[in-house]
């Protein structure tokens, strides 16, 4: 799966002959699972039609600040467009647009959106060789780079003028790989391997019954997704869960019992950099598992239980350079219990869920956490969706790794 899958890409088109290649660019982004919106300078419509681009992007294409529809004037909000985008690509970028961008000129929708955009901006110049070589063009490109914009360099080849030299817009396939590689190279967790446990475990009583709990696995899965989106390779060891996950960087290993989870965790732990144990592992399992279904007999039935192995504590004992994160679900004296769990299990961070907080816990889609670090500093977070909570947890881990 491409890093661009699910991302929002705004494509700005300016008036160069290379604009005819923009149709292909839109197709490539869509094929990778990105959502694409196109904005154009008025003059670029001489090179490619908005209809082509709106058909391919499945979104309206705008080229002015206002559109007229049924005699109503509709404002095309450049601020909203700029904030909508995860990435803004201006391709082709003509010498004229380069100059205007470098100087903050704002006389069309593409430029106004550029000035409003908060996301990374890529620009792919296209012009004739002498224009590309010109001091003012070079200076404008350098100025734009110094503002943090990312240059996708023009290549050498035959130009529209018939001359041969540098100035051709990079090919759409190369633009797409350039952006993918650039994003990947900047991800904070690239080259990191992360082990995550999720979900409940089931401990068999007999062939048809088990001891389990209400954990959905959602929290662990959201953490896996977030870490993978930041470039980490994930080993997601999950107990029985209905959660689905599809990401090229996530390897899912399904287990059922605490013993199976223990084995899988220890198999992967030596090679990971970070381990986050979010699973609700059963603390006890039946001492003897009946080989036949237990029949109804007496008024009461006792099942003798014995403790399972504490996976998290076992990692705390053997960890070397790994960053170890545990969860604590507490009902009373939360902070004190979580702190002592962090120390007892030799953790780097502990994520506390208090069952006293409304909206927090197993089956909910929201969670409210407090994160406590090794130095016993605690940070409280608001009630949030589990995916937002996952972001907070991963952000905190990255902060600690960078500290
Ligand atoms: N955990 C584990 N293996 C177990 C039990 C728990 O790895 N057999 C991990 C959980 O994944 C979680 C952390 O330990 O990260 C805390 O689990 P919790 O049930 O809150 O704490 P316990 O250590 O079991 O302590 P207690 O039940 O006494 O609160």
């Amino acid at each position: 799966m491409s890093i661009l899958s699910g991302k929002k890409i705004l494509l700005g088109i300016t008036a160069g002959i290379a604009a005819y290649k923009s149709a292909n660019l839109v197709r490539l982004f869509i094929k990778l699972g990105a959502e694409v919106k196109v904005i154009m300078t008025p003059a670029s419509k001489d090179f490619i039609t908005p209809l082509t681009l709106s058909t391919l992007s499945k979104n309206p294409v705008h080229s002015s600040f206002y559109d007229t529809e049924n005699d109503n004037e509709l404002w095309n909000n450049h601020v909203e467009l700029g904030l909508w985008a995860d990435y803004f690509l201006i391709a082709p970028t003509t010498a004229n647009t380069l100059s205007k961008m470098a100087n903050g000129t704002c006389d069309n929708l593409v430029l106004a959106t550029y000035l409003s955009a908060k996301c990374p901006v890529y620009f792919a110049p296209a012009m004739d060789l002498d224009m590309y070589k010109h001091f003012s063009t070079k200076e404008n490109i350098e100025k734009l780079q110094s503002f943090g914009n990312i240059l996708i360099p023009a290549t050498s080849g035959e130009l529209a003028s018939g001359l041969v030299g540098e100035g051709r817009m990079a090919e759409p396939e190369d633009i797409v790989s350039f952006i993918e590689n650039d994003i990947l190279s900047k991800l904070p967790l690239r080259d990191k391997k992360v082990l995550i446990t999720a979900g409940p475990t089931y401990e068999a009583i007999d062939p048809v019954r088990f001891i389990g709990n209400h954990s959905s696995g959602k929290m662990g899965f959201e953490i896996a997704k977030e870490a993978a989106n930041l470039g980490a390779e994930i080993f997601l060891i999950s107990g029985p869960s209905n959660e689905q996950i599809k990401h090229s960087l996530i390897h899912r290993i399904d287990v059922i019992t605490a013993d199976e989870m223990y084995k899988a965790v220890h198999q992967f732990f030596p090679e990971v950099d970070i381990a986050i144990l979010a699973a609700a592992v059963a603390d006890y399992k039946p001492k003897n598992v009946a080989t036949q279904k237990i029949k109804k007999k007496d008024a009461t039935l006792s099942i003798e239980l014995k403790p399972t192995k504490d996976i998290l504590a076992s990692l705390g004992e053997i960890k070397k350079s790994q960053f170890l994160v545990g969860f604590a679900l507490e009902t009373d004296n939360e902070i004190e219990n979580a702190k002592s769990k962090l120390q007892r299990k030799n953790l780097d961070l502990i994520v506390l869920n208090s069952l006293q907080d409304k909206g927090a816990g197993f089956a909910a889609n929201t969670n409210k956490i407090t994160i406590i670090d090794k130095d016993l500093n605690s940070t409280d977070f608001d009630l949030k969706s589990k995916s937002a909570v996952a972001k907070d947890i991963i952000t905190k881990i990255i902060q600690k790794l960078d500290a």
Side-chain angles (χ1 to χ4, degrees), residues 283 310 312-317 324 327-328 330 336-348 350 374 376:
D283 286 329
D310 189 321
L312 183 59
S314 71
L315 298 186
E317 280 166 24
L324 186 57
F327 273 67
E330 306 289 343
E336 283 322 304
N337 283 338
K339 283 181 178 170
S340 91
K341 209 170 273 180
L342 171 121
Q343 289 176 319
R344 219 173 43 240
K345 299 193 185 188
N346 190 22
L347 311 181
D348 295 287
I350 194 156
K374 232 176 154 160
L376 305 184

